[in-house]
Amino acid sequence: QEWQQVGVRASARTVRPRLLNNGLVSRRAAKKPLLSKKNCNLYFPRLCDYVLVAQKMEDMEDQIFKKQDAFICELKQKNIKVTKIEHAGKVFFGVCAPEEIFAKYKYLLKVSDACNWSGEQKIRIVHFKVALYYLWLGWYTRMLVPAAVIGIVVFLYGLAFFNTSPLIHEVCDSNITMCPRCDLRCSVWNLSDTCTNAKVSQLFDNEGTVAFAMFMAIWATLFLELWKRHRALHVSKWNVFDWCEEEEELILEIVNNPQCKPKEFRHSYLRSIVVLLLVTLVLVVIIGLAHALVICRVLTAILLSQSEWEFFRDHATTIAMLSGAVLHYITIQVMTRVNKIVAFKLCEFEKTRSFAATEKRFTVKMFTFQFFTLFSSLFYVAFFLGRINGYPGNYVRIAGKWRLEECHPSGCLTDLFIQMAVILVLKQTINNIFEFTVPWLKLCFRRTKAKKMRRKCGNCYRKACREEEGNLNLCDLCKLRSWLDNYDLNDVNAFSLFNEFLEMVLQFSFTTIFVAAFPLAPLLALINNIFEIRLDAIKMVSLERRLVPKKTNDIGVWTRILEAVGVMAVIANGLVIGISSDFIPRLVYRYHYGPCATSNSTSMDCMTGYINNTLATAFMSKDKVREDFKHLIEIGYNITQCSYKDYRNDEDQSLTSQFWLILALRFAFVILFEHVVVMCKFIAAWFIPDSPIRVKNDRLDDKLRRLKKELQEANAIYNSRCTEV
């Protein structure tokens, strides 16, 4: 089975045929018993190992035809049986390898130090990469259950104080006049107009958010450590625990060509530098697109605020945020295709030693590009939105004209929540719909076109099974029917499984990074995965051709990527809580500036007056302030002052001592949070061994058993030689 994989790869370079499903039994036919009850314990006989399909060539002097013919002749010289059938302008080559090839492969696995192989085992066509994908996805889905439950509890905690929070009442009952949000046709507004926004902010920015962020950081570590144990248990059962990629490659090469030479490892510092520079250039372009999205949101908010519709003017900021999230999703879909092409080209330029090396480097590059595509805009919303926009009289403007966006007085976490919710829901829902419906529609179209040929086969397939007791010798029509059942399925390639892994790892990133702003992210991921694991199974079993079986004992470089995501989750959530949320300013006000800190009164809530404390006042008597709000004066507004969110003196608009105290405590909290969580991660990783004790003992017993068997065989050979002497 593995040797044929080498032959197929060689043909892909020379003939460029299309690969049909391994085993050549259609998905629907495989579900039905082809043998009688008395023979139900027999395996279905191996008709072909692979089927290669190429366009029929009329010109025998064509170079493509010559390459096809040379490749088929090379297969026949190795005693490989090749069945040729022509149909509808295509040539089908059924390839069946002799048993001696499998015997050689089996023997080399037995003598290999890196392969845990027993001589009594049967060669089975198993795709360990697919098995590990579903094993990992199932484990990830089960581990999402506690995360989703805790996220719901945090959400309900915010909901419980929805109507009793003094911060919400202070916003909803306020009569404070706020400064305009834009330059043209934007008037002053009352703080109470954003009562709904304040309530939503309270749901996702409360004391429970800190505990949940710490829990999710530790959860990511526990998930990876427990996954390693789960993987070790199953790969030990599958006898691939000690599998080595390099030895497997050498075994395949030796079986294919006993005179082969190993492909040597090579490294070029010049190529590495060029690739690093090109990757940096691509990342700069992706970050530039994030800046373009920011500009689009600013312009959208300005245009909506100038609209004739009162609804658009009143909700210009919210609508701009929603439209920016949708535009971000569209950008993600476009850049996904661009990133894949760029990553392929970079891997081709590197000239890697093997396909496995190419796959690893492609995975790292593609994930890096996708990560920056998805999270660049979110990083801006989380850490820069509302913090670099300036203040009345000194606003920061794009191209000297358009003011940057501002945060709501209740905090910027609501904007981050909206951005994440829209992207996560749209990405998961639309991707699942397209991933399933497009292959299904393609299959229906192909099956409709091929329906006439199927009717010619009759029922001789089952008749042969019944009369010859499973020793099949099918006619060309019956063989072709089985081949076409698989050929009509949707095409797959070596990176089809990569797409599934990429989608789930990016979802894992959404679930852990910035989860402090969106506690319901694990719940949405859990609901999506319940459908995802079934849709993927239906797609792989019924809608797509089978992937080329490959051995592996791990999910490869994805493990390191998941570990890196776990570290980034600690950093990002610490920064979100310490810098983006109002958690630290609230603590400072409660214990240093609030009524409970300045007086002994217990009749007043400790957070009373917090909103007013976060606002500064801009006076129209200042020349620079009058310049920024001259349009209000021109249209007849007679106001003397307005408020904005910042810690500044009312007289000279300089930063107050409270600002510097809060800033120092923000950074102190981030450092403390990250060190505590990282320490907990290391303790969890140390406490949970990668392999269960049962697996270690089983492997020890298996090694002892195999060594004893080898010793017995060596003694038998030695004794026989002594007897001859």
Side-chain angles (χ1 to χ4, degrees), residues 123-281:
I123 293 181
R124 297 174 295 173
I125 299 177
V126 179
H127 199 315
F128 289 103
K129 280 196 172 184
V130 173
L132 279 168
Y133 166 71
Y134 283 103
L135 184 69
W136 177 83
L137 182 57
W139 181 253
Y140 170 46
T141 303
R142 289 196 294 271
M143 287 292 291
L144 279 174
V145 174
V149 171
I150 301 298
I152 294 174
V153 170
V154 172
F155 176 77
L156 294 178
Y157 173 81
L159 194 63
F161 300 97
F162 193 74
N163 294 321
T164 59
S165 172
L167 303 181
I168 295 178
H169 286 297
E170 190 172 352
V171 172
C172 296
D173 299 337
S174 175
N175 57 358
I176 298 176
T177 301
M178 303 296 293
C179 295
R181 294 172 176 169
C182 64
D183 292 330
L184 300 177
R185 302 189 66 175
C186 284
S187 61
V188 293
W189 51 284
N190 290 325
L191 182 61
S192 59
D193 295 340
T194 59
C195 180
T196 302
N197 204 330
K199 292 180 179 180
V200 174
S201 179
Q202 179 65 24
L203 293 178
F204 302 101
D205 188 5
N206 52 64
E207 292 78 6
T209 303
V210 181
F212 184 63
M214 295 184 66
F215 167 80
M216 286 302 297
I218 299 173
W219 173 89
T221 301
L222 292 176
F223 162 72
L224 287 174
E225 296 302 321
L226 293 176
W227 155 247
K228 293 176 183 177
R229 292 173 58 85
H230 191 61
R231 178 203 65 85
L233 182 63
H234 283 77
V235 298
S236 178
K237 291 180 181 178
W238 298 340
N239 294 311
V240 290
F241 193 96
D242 295 320
W243 174 85
C244 176
E245 181 180 320
E246 293 177 8
E247 290 208 23
E248 178 80 8
E249 179 185 339
L250 292 175
I251 290 173
L252 297 177
E253 292 290 344
I254 292 174
V255 173
N256 187 36
N257 179 16
Q259 307 301 324
C260 69
K261 295 182 179 180
K263 297 178 181 178
E264 297 180 350
F265 291 95
R266 295 179 180 179
H267 179 72
S268 172
Y269 287 101
L270 179 61
R271 289 183 181 275
S272 300
I273 293 173
V274 173
V275 170
L276 182 61
L277 292 176
L278 292 175
V279 169
T280 305
L281 178 62

Side-chain angles (χ1 to χ4, degrees), residues 50-93:
Y50 288 99
V51 173
L52 305 177
V53 185
Q55 294 292 333
K56 184 177 180 181
M57 305 296 298
E58 300 294 341
D59 184 7
M60 294 186 180
E61 298 299 322
D62 190 277
Q63 291 298 320
I64 297 179
F65 176 81
K66 289 182 178 180
K67 289 182 179 180
Q68 291 178 1
D69 187 61
F71 178 73
I72 297 300
C73 291
E74 184 181 351
L75 293 180
K76 291 180 178 179
Q77 289 175 0
K78 297 178 180 179
N79 297 324
I80 295 177
K81 181 181 178 181
V82 180
T83 303
K84 178 181 177 181
I85 302 177
E86 296 183 3
H87 172 73
K90 292 183 176 61
V91 184
F92 294 78
F93 296 96

Side-chain angles (χ1 to χ4, degrees), residues 185-437:
R185 302 189 66 175
C186 284
S187 61
V188 293
W189 51 284
N190 290 325
L191 182 61
S192 59
D193 295 340
T194 59
C195 180
T196 302
N197 204 330
K199 292 180 179 180
V200 174
S201 179
Q202 179 65 24
L203 293 178
F204 302 101
D205 188 5
N206 52 64
E207 292 78 6
T209 303
V210 181
F212 184 63
M214 295 184 66
F215 167 80
M216 286 302 297
I218 299 173
W219 173 89
T221 301
L222 292 176
F223 162 72
L224 287 174
E225 296 302 321
L226 293 176
W227 155 247
K228 293 176 183 177
R229 292 173 58 85
H230 191 61
R231 178 203 65 85
L233 182 63
H234 283 77
V235 298
S236 178
K237 291 180 181 178
W238 298 340
N239 294 311
V240 290
F241 193 96
D242 295 320
W243 174 85
C244 176
E245 181 180 320
E246 293 177 8
E247 290 208 23
E248 178 80 8
E249 179 185 339
L250 292 175
I251 290 173
L252 297 177
E253 292 290 344
I254 292 174
V255 173
N256 187 36
N257 179 16
Q259 307 301 324
C260 69
K261 295 182 179 180
K263 297 178 181 178
E264 297 180 350
F265 291 95
R266 295 179 180 179
H267 179 72
S268 172
Y269 287 101
L270 179 61
R271 289 183 181 275
S272 300
I273 293 173
V274 173
V275 170
L276 182 61
L277 292 176
L278 292 175
V279 169
T280 305
L281 178 62
V282 174
L283 296 181
V284 169
V285 172
I286 293 173
I287 295 174
L289 288 176
H291 285 83
L293 290 175
V294 172
I295 295 174
C296 288
R297 280 212 308 267
V298 172
L299 296 178
T300 302
I302 293 173
L303 293 175
L304 290 176
S305 63
Q306 299 174 8
S307 173
E308 299 294 336
W309 295 58
E310 183 179 355
F311 176 81
F312 287 157
R313 291 198 305 270
D314 294 341
H315 302 85
T317 304
T318 304
I319 297 175
M321 180 62 66
L322 287 173
S323 61
V326 174
L327 186 60
H328 186 199
Y329 171 77
I330 297 173
T331 305
I332 291 171
Q333 299 304 311
V334 175
M335 288 302 299
T336 297
R337 291 156 178 79
V338 176
N339 292 339
K340 187 173 294 185
I341 295 173
V342 174
F344 267 124
K345 295 298 182 182
L346 291 175
C347 289
E348 289 179 0
F349 176 78
E350 285 183 289
K351 294 183 178 180
T352 52
R353 174 180 172 273
S354 62
F355 176 79
T358 302
E359 187 178 20
K360 290 179 181 178
R361 298 190 182 188
F362 174 81
T363 298
V364 174
K365 292 181 180 63
M366 186 63 186
F367 175 80
T368 304
F369 294 158
Q370 286 296 96
F371 181 85
F372 275 82
T373 301
L374 266 69
F375 285 92
S376 293
S377 181
L378 294 179
F379 272 101
Y380 168 77
V381 174
F383 304 126
F384 298 101
L385 178 62
R387 290 169 179 80
I388 57 174
N389 59 306
Y391 53 91
N394 191 23
Y395 281 119
V396 176
R397 302 177 184 273
I398 300 175
K401 296 181 180 180
W402 305 298
R403 281 169 50 184
L404 289 176
E405 303 167 277
E406 296 182 8
C407 281
H408 181 267
S410 297
C412 295
L413 225 56
T414 303
D415 298 327
L416 182 59
F417 152 70
I418 293 174
Q419 189 93 345
M420 287 188 62
V422 171
I423 294 174
L424 194 59
V425 172
L426 282 179
K427 188 175 184 299
Q428 293 186 155
T429 305
I430 296 178
N431 281 6
N432 282 339
I433 293 174
F434 275 92
E435 280 186 9
F436 184 79
T437 56

